[in-house]
Amino acid sequence: MGDFLIGLTQNRLLLAAIAAWLIAQVLKTILVLILEKELNLERLFGSGGMPSSHSATVCALTTSACILYGSDSPVFAVAAIVAFIVMYDACNVRLETGKQAVAIKELQRFFQDMGKAPLSEEKLKELVGHTLPQVSAGAILGIIIGVIASLI
């Protein structure tokens, strides 16, 4: 068990990815604080927003894999494909899910204004996906952190 934990603390790919996620989440929280003048701690752990922590995480992982193992390595290939899928999902599938949540909430308000019972009591999250600039900012952040983490 001790060797396993030591291995985790020395895994540069894992540490780069975790650092990128953490830095992106903190930046997201700070940006909300500056722009909305409100400390929203949900931003520290929540999805959506600027920059994309998902993109930062997978890009730090992919960049570190490329630097440490080479662009011809299986580790890099897997990381690159996963990064592409995650960023595509954030910009498309998850972004559309958020838009649908907004539309459903509008429908619920419309029916409630007509005196109808709500369609559901479940709270829908609107901020689940990312715009292209949010994904791009996360990707750039992740690449920078991946380079730094690989060279340390």
Side-chain angles (χ1 to χ4, degrees):
M1 182 66 164
D3 289 342
F4 175 78
L5 293 176
I6 290 171
L8 285 179
T9 63
Q10 295 175 349
N11 187 324
R12 292 166 76 182
L13 297 178
L14 180 63
L15 295 175
I18 291 170
W21 175 83
L22 182 62
I23 290 167
Q25 290 298 112
V26 169
L27 284 174
K28 190 183 304 189
T29 304
I30 292 169
L31 281 173
V32 168
L33 177 62
I34 291 169
L35 296 175
E36 299 178 11
K37 312 272 189 276
E38 174 187 345
L39 179 60
N40 183 348
L41 293 179
E42 192 276 330
R43 295 287 52 193
L44 200 53
F45 298 102
S47 59
M50 172 69 94
S52 165
S53 59
H54 290 88
S55 297
T57 302
V58 295
C59 284
L61 177 68
T62 303
T63 302
S64 294
C66 186
I67 292 170
L68 296 173
Y69 298 103
S71 61
D72 61 340
S73 71
V75 174
F76 171 74
V78 170
I81 294 301
V82 169
F84 175 77
I85 292 168
V86 167
M87 291 188 291
Y88 177 86
D89 180 73
C91 262
N92 293 285
V93 179
R94 289 181 33 234
L95 183 62
E96 288 302 315
T97 299
K99 290 176 182 178
Q100 290 170 3
V102 170
I104 290 169
K105 284 182 176 182
E106 287 176 14
L107 280 172
Q108 286 180 320
R109 278 192 291 278
F110 174 77
F111 285 119
Q112 285 175 340
D113 290 347
M114 292 176 50
K116 306 284 185 191
L119 300 172
S120 171
E121 296 296 326
E122 189 173 339
K123 301 279 187 220
L124 298 174
K125 289 180 69 175
E126 296 175 20
L127 195 55
V128 292
H130 294 282
T131 62
L132 185 57
Q134 293 169 339
V135 168
S136 299
I140 292 166
L141 177 65
I143 291 168
I144 292 168
I145 292 168
V147 168
I148 292 168
S150 298
L151 299 177
I152 292 178

